Amino acid sequence: MKKTQRIDMVQRVVDDHERRRAEALALCEQQVREAQSRLQELESYRNTYVQDFSRRAQSGLNGAGVREYQVFLSRLDEALQHQSQIVSQAESARSAELENWRGAARRAAAVGTVATQWHAEERRVQERREQHETDERSQQSWSRRSHLRAT
């Protein structure tokens, strides 16, 4: 097996690894967007709930209604805090996956550079070999013509 065939195999493996890391990064990015979207929905819901409560409070609420509001708002705040943690975890996972992808991309680029150099070297060797063979055939042809003229 030629050196260039071996590096081509390595390049395919490294490129495949880099592609898988890019796909994993895209998945992490999607998870971050979904978690952020859910957080925004919860925040919007909380704001709407507070505004609705303010309107109802102006028209008069009893003590039980206020306690229910406080309990529900407390649970909503816990859900917001939990969702904020999910967003943070998703962002951390995305950052880690970004570093994994960057490393894989650097390796793929390095192997690509080596592969390009090895292919260029192989072409130069092949061109030299072909040039040598052409020169040799030309020399033999000249020798035969010289020999035929001499006789």
Side-chain angles (χ1 to χ4, degrees):
M1 179 180 287
K2 289 182 178 180
K3 184 166 84 167
T4 54
Q5 290 172 321
R6 289 192 310 267
I7 195 71
D8 288 344
M9 285 180 11
V10 171
Q11 186 173 18
R12 281 191 298 275
V13 170
V14 171
D15 287 347
D16 184 55
H17 178 71
E18 188 266 339
R19 180 189 51 76
R20 285 193 318 262
R21 294 285 46 94
E23 289 170 354
L25 176 59
L27 179 62
C28 284
E29 186 63 39
Q30 179 184 357
Q31 290 170 343
V32 167
R33 283 191 307 270
E34 289 172 359
Q36 288 173 335
S37 175
R38 178 72 178 133
L39 180 61
Q40 289 172 349
E41 288 173 10
L42 284 170
E43 288 171 343
S44 176
Y45 181 72
R46 184 187 188 283
N47 291 338
T48 302
Y49 185 75
V50 168
Q51 290 171 357
D52 287 347
F53 177 77
S54 295
R55 275 183 248 139
R56 284 188 288 157
Q58 288 175 355
S59 61
L61 274 178
N62 60 18
V66 172
R67 278 191 303 278
E68 285 178 20
Y69 165 77
Q70 290 173 336
V71 167
F72 184 75
L73 194 57
S74 174
R75 288 185 182 151
L76 198 51
D77 286 340
E78 287 175 19
L80 280 164
Q81 184 179 12
H82 179 71
Q83 189 62 33
S84 291
Q85 290 172 348
I86 290 172
V87 168
S88 292
Q89 290 169 348
E91 289 172 340
S92 292
R94 177 188 56 192
S95 293
E97 199 55 56
L98 178 61
E99 286 306 310
N100 288 340
W101 171 76
R102 284 180 177 159
R106 280 191 299 272
R107 285 187 294 280
V111 170
T113 299
V114 169
T116 300
Q117 291 170 350
W118 286 10
H119 281 282
E121 179 185 333
E122 186 175 285
R123 276 191 303 279
R124 284 190 301 274
V125 166
Q126 181 64 29
E127 288 168 0
R128 274 189 245 126
R129 185 179 305 121
E130 289 170 359
Q131 183 63 48
H132 177 71
E133 290 170 1
T134 301
D135 291 349
E136 189 147 324
R137 281 192 301 272
S138 179
Q139 178 67 30
Q140 289 171 356
S141 175
W142 184 81
S143 257
R144 277 190 300 251
R145 282 192 309 251
S146 293
H147 181 64
L148 288 174
R149 282 188 222 147
T151 51

